[in-house]
Amino acid sequence: MKKKLLALLLSAVMVCSMAGCGNSSNDTAANNTSSADSGSNVPETSAAENTVSGGDTADQTGNTTYTVGICQLVQHDALDAATKGFKDALIEELGADNVVFDEQNAQGESNTCSTIVNSFVSSNVDLILANATPALQAAAAGTNEIPILGTSVTEYGVALDLDDFNGTVGGNISGTSDLAPLDGQADMIQEIFPDAKTVGLLYCSAEANSQYQVDAVKGYLEEKGYECKYYAFSDSNDLSAVTTTASSEVDVIYVPTDNTVANNTEIVYNICMPAKVPVIAGEEGICKVCAVATLSISYYDIGVGTGKMAAKILKGESNISEMPIEYAPTFTKKYNPAICEELGITIPDGYEAVETE
């Protein structure tokens, strides 16, 4: 009897043990299925996180993908061309699949530049393109670690308030300049308007590089015997009133590479043309709409130059702290045929016509 009872107990233990094994196997299979599902989602989730958080990542082929934040001050032809050149060059250097652009426009608001840059810093992008001086200033204030390349910036020493600027900013900043020779712009005014007496210098006082340009041009023009008058406006709201005053007091108006004017060229045109006061512009985008002539650079080309600099930085081929500011390689005298005809102005030989829409 005892033997039978012992046999029954042993059988029961074996059955329970087998049942336990069966449950463990099912649980393991379920867990494996769950892990496989989770695993299939991991790369996708990770990619999404990297898109948001920035930072270089490796794709399935082992190539590195870089996230580049672009902060452009305002939309107009010159800055648009610089951004396009930058993107085209960087894609050519790194490959379209290896670079992601987070492109944002501040709509002319300096404070918005700061907000955009802060978002780039939070996302830990690999590099920031700051297109125009306020964008560069916001980027410099926002980070001293992420590489920053400026473009469409006239004078980096002025923009960044550097007392000992010698062509290389140092730290985490470098870039390209849109400065055309200011003495050459003064020469152009004398060449086209030798009989003029007074030149009005129309510029936005909130743009440090605009102040720098008009100060320099004023010196060159005064050496040539012209009387120069400043006409500063604080923003687009008083551009019309200041331009109206200038057009009633001077023979010629000079406008530097000023972003506020570039974004409001129709205002200048609608005031200066009826008054028959010609405008000389610091860049081609302004000349296309409201000016007689300009000493032009290609903003697309300086954008390309900036993109090539970015590729060297991202690939570890160059140290940004040692990279000097680069300048446009060529300058071209251009004129606006329609405006010249309307004002009855004959342009000397050696000028190219701007392409207007």
Side-chain angles (χ1 to χ4, degrees):
M1 183 71 180
K2 289 183 180 180
K3 290 182 178 180
K4 286 185 178 181
L5 182 59
L6 180 59
L8 288 171
L9 288 172
L10 288 173
S11 297
V13 169
M14 291 178 66
V15 170
C16 290
S17 176
M18 291 176 66
C21 289
N23 287 339
S24 175
S25 176
N26 289 338
D27 290 343
T28 302
N31 287 337
N32 286 338
T33 301
S34 175
S35 297
D37 290 343
S38 175
S40 66
N41 290 332
V42 167
E44 190 172 333
T45 304
S46 178
E49 288 174 351
N50 285 329
T51 300
V52 174
S53 64
D56 55 0
T57 59
D59 62 20
Q60 293 179 348
T61 65
N63 294 327
T64 300
T65 300
Y66 301 97
T67 302
V68 176
I70 299 176
C71 178
Q72 181 173 319
L73 174 64
V74 69
Q75 183 177 4
H76 65 68
D77 289 348
L79 301 191
D80 292 348
T83 293
K84 186 176 188 305
F86 173 81
K87 293 170 65 177
D88 287 351
L90 199 49
I91 287 172
E92 182 176 351
E93 293 287 334
L94 300 180
D97 295 333
N98 298 326
V99 58
V100 176
F101 297 104
D102 184 354
E103 185 175 352
Q104 299 190 41
N105 194 297
Q107 305 299 325
E109 297 293 333
S110 297
N111 289 337
T112 305
C113 287
S114 298
T115 302
I116 292 170
V117 168
N118 289 339
S119 73
F120 293 159
V121 174
S122 296
S123 298
N124 192 31
V125 299
D126 297 299
L127 183 141
I128 295 173
L129 174 70
N131 193 345
T133 299
L136 176 67
Q137 292 169 332
T143 178
N144 60 5
E145 296 180 356
I146 297 173
I148 299 166
L149 288 175
T151 192
S152 312
V153 176
T154 304
E155 220 287 334
Y156 282 74
V158 173
L160 299 174
D161 195 24
L162 304 174
D163 294 331
D164 55 350
F165 177 64
N166 61 1
T168 301
V169 176
N172 64 323
I173 298 174
S174 188
T176 56
S177 169
D178 63 358
L179 180 64
L182 298 173
D183 56 345
Q185 295 180 44
D187 291 342
M188 178 179 289
I189 293 173
Q190 185 180 45
E191 187 175 40
I192 301 174
F193 306 107
D195 298 326
K197 303 299 183 185
T198 56
V199 178
L201 307 171
L202 181 67
Y203 68 102
C204 180
S205 58
E207 297 187 32
N209 277 312
S210 292
Q211 182 74 62
Y212 169 80
Q213 291 172 82
V214 295
D215 286 346
V217 169
K218 178 176 181 287
Y220 292 126
L221 288 173
E222 288 178 342
E223 290 177 358
K224 298 177 183 296
Y226 291 94
E227 178 187 359
C228 296
K229 296 182 179 181
Y230 287 116
Y231 293 92
F233 56 91
S234 58
D235 54 35
S236 59
N237 294 321
D238 61 346
L239 173 59
S240 178
V242 173
T243 304
T244 299
T245 300
S247 65
S248 68
E249 296 179 349
V250 300
D251 301 317
V252 181
I253 289 176
Y254 169 75
V255 178
T257 56
D258 186 283
N259 291 298
T260 307
V261 173
N263 200 40
N264 295 276
T265 49
E266 291 290 345
I267 292 176
V268 177
Y269 176 87
N270 290 332
I271 294 170
C272 292
M273 293 309 294
K276 301 298 181 183
V277 176
V279 175
I280 294 293
E283 60 96 6
E284 187 173 342
I286 297 174
C287 185
K288 286 181 178 181
V289 180
C290 67
V292 169
T294 184
L295 186 58
S296 177
I297 68 166
S298 168
Y299 277 80
Y300 180 83
D301 286 350
I302 65 169
V304 168
T306 317
K308 291 180 178 180
M309 294 173 74
K312 291 178 181 179
I313 294 165
L314 293 173
K315 291 190 290 186
E317 297 175 355
S318 295
N319 183 340
I320 190 170
S321 67
E322 300 173 352
M323 299 177 80
I325 302 303
E326 296 185 5
Y327 295 82
T330 59
F331 309 97
T332 306
K333 292 180 178 180
K334 293 193 175 184
Y335 76 105
N336 187 316
I339 290 180
C340 288
E341 182 178 356
E342 188 171 347
L343 295 177
I345 295 172
T346 301
I347 295 295
D349 294 336
Y351 285 71
E352 296 180 9
V354 297
E355 296 180 2
T356 57
E357 297 178 358

